[in-house]
Amino acid sequence: MIPGRLLSQFIAVAEELHFGRAAARLHMAQPPLSQAIKNLEEIVGVQLLARSRHSVLLTPAGSAFLEEARELMAHGQRAIDIARRASVGMTGNITIGFMGSVSYEFLPRLLRRFRAAFPAIHVDLREQISVEQIESLHASKIDLGIVRVPLSNATDLHMRVIEVERFVAVLPRDHRLAAARSLRLEELAEESFLVFPAGKSPSLHSKFLMACDEAGFSPRVSTEAWQMASMVSLVAAGLGVTLLPAQVKNSPHKDVVYKELTNPSAHLELEIAAAWRPDDISSGLQAMLSVLGEA
């Protein structure tokens, strides 16, 4: 394990590319700094700096090591911050609304980070579609909503985009395009589509229609459904194809395939946002916002 002191000394020399300036920056004499870098190179087993009488340069190994050293120092600082927050015993509660589609990957990742940083804050979860979360925020039934944007009736709330993903095509495993590495949306123009209802998922519904229009066709809709797991099952049963948020790929199904869409369309990009009341100053909400900011 390399001591943090050695890492900080190496970073200073690598950034200054001058032992004198680096020593002044570190408030130490130059000879012990030179010896420290030699000790570090012995530990690593490769030359990190190319020295001459007039210059100091990073070797290729040194450039690679610099990136990792910075990351190690940042990780160490995050660990200190987490420990300090836990030591002051920040407690409280937060009630979070979330769409079912983020439970595949984004929500577990967020909750792991939050639990590590604020173990004493209790989290309640409420699965709701985005429009219901806005209503719950207005009624103070939840503290934070994880929603898909754009949304109406939310201009009085604070909103921050926290994740961007894309639509992927979901096809039956025996589909004619199942073996393709990727495809363009217009290749599905003759298919029957399963779609999200406009009333329950307005953002996904409108993005789907606009993407199809941009691809040059009007989709033939066979079925409406609003839960991603149900839509995957319906595709597996041969009722049509669908476009779903990419997180669904974390829930494989033996009878369907997921295909990337190569169209460079903004309508295929899906924004997930955090929404909260501007007057909410609870410790639970502020803690979650700090984690979202770090993420």
Side-chain angles (χ1 to χ4, degrees):
M1 191 69 177
I2 300 174
R5 174 180 52 81
L6 276 182
L7 292 176
S8 62
Q9 289 169 341
F10 170 74
I11 290 170
V13 175
E15 290 178 347
E16 298 290 344
L17 292 178
H18 190 282
F19 276 91
R21 290 196 298 270
R25 170 173 155 182
L26 294 166
H27 305 290
M28 63 185 297
Q30 184 173 331
L33 176 59
S34 298
Q35 186 59 50
I37 299 302
K38 289 180 182 178
N39 293 341
L40 176 62
E41 288 177 323
E42 291 176 2
I43 293 172
V44 177
V46 296
Q47 185 179 5
L48 302 175
L49 296 169
R51 309 162 180 83
S52 71
R53 182 172 296 181
H54 302 293
S55 68
V56 177
L57 298 174
L58 283 167
T59 65
S63 295
F65 187 77
L66 176 59
E67 293 185 18
E68 295 300 319
R70 286 169 171 160
E71 179 61 28
L72 284 170
M73 294 297 291
H75 185 77
Q77 186 58 51
R78 286 195 295 270
I80 292 171
D81 292 341
I82 289 171
R84 286 174 176 171
R85 288 196 291 256
S87 71
V88 299
M90 183 177 282
T91 60
N93 298 276
I94 182 170
T95 302
I96 301 174
F98 69 98
M99 310 162 295
S101 61
V102 302
S103 63
Y104 289 87
E105 192 275 332
F106 175 77
L107 185 62
R109 171 163 43 96
L110 174 63
L111 293 178
R112 282 194 298 270
R113 291 179 63 96
F114 186 76
R115 183 175 178 83
F118 299 99
I121 295 181
H122 179 72
V123 178
D124 286 322
L125 297 172
R126 308 280 174 84
E127 182 175 353
Q128 297 177 323
I129 61 175
S130 295
V131 291
E132 291 173 342
Q133 290 183 59
I134 299 304
E135 295 171 358
S136 293
L137 282 167
H138 286 146
S140 298
K141 293 181 179 179
I142 63 174
D143 304 302
L144 181 84
I146 300 176
V147 300
R148 293 196 183 275
V149 291
L151 278 170
S152 60
N153 199 30
T155 55
D156 59 330
L157 299 173
H158 281 177
M159 200 87 65
R160 179 195 299 170
V161 174
I162 53 177
E163 187 89 341
V164 179
E165 59 181 336
R166 279 176 63 87
F167 270 130
V168 295
V170 187
L171 314 177
R173 185 162 293 279
D174 59 358
H175 191 274
R176 59 186 173 82
L177 295 172
R181 285 193 175 184
S182 60
L183 52 87
R184 293 185 63 82
L185 182 55
E186 50 266 33
E187 295 181 73
L188 301 176
E190 301 303 318
E191 302 288 338
S192 295
F193 281 88
L194 289 75
V195 301
F196 291 97
K200 288 187 173 291
S201 299
S203 176
L204 293 178
H205 184 88
S206 61
K207 287 251 183 183
F208 164 72
L209 292 179
M210 288 187 291
C212 291
D213 181 69
E214 188 175 75
F217 70 96
S218 179
R220 182 167 63 248
V221 175
S222 63
T223 307
E224 287 190 344
W226 65 277
Q227 290 186 325
M228 285 172 49
S230 299
M231 296 179 81
V232 171
S233 296
L234 292 172
V235 170
L239 272 68
V241 302
T242 190
L243 302 188
L244 292 179
Q247 289 186 56
V248 73
K249 294 189 294 184
N250 290 281
S251 180
H253 191 294
K254 65 182 181 66
D255 293 322
V256 306
V257 293
Y258 303 115
K259 297 295 176 182
E260 303 290 339
L261 294 165
T262 59
N263 306 65
S265 171
H267 301 313
L268 294 174
E269 295 182 352
L270 310 172
E271 292 184 330
I272 299 170
W276 68 96
R277 293 181 302 278
D279 60 345
D280 189 341
I281 58 172
S282 65
S283 60
L285 175 64
Q286 300 309 311
M288 179 56 75
L289 291 177
S290 72
V291 170
L292 288 171
E294 292 173 1

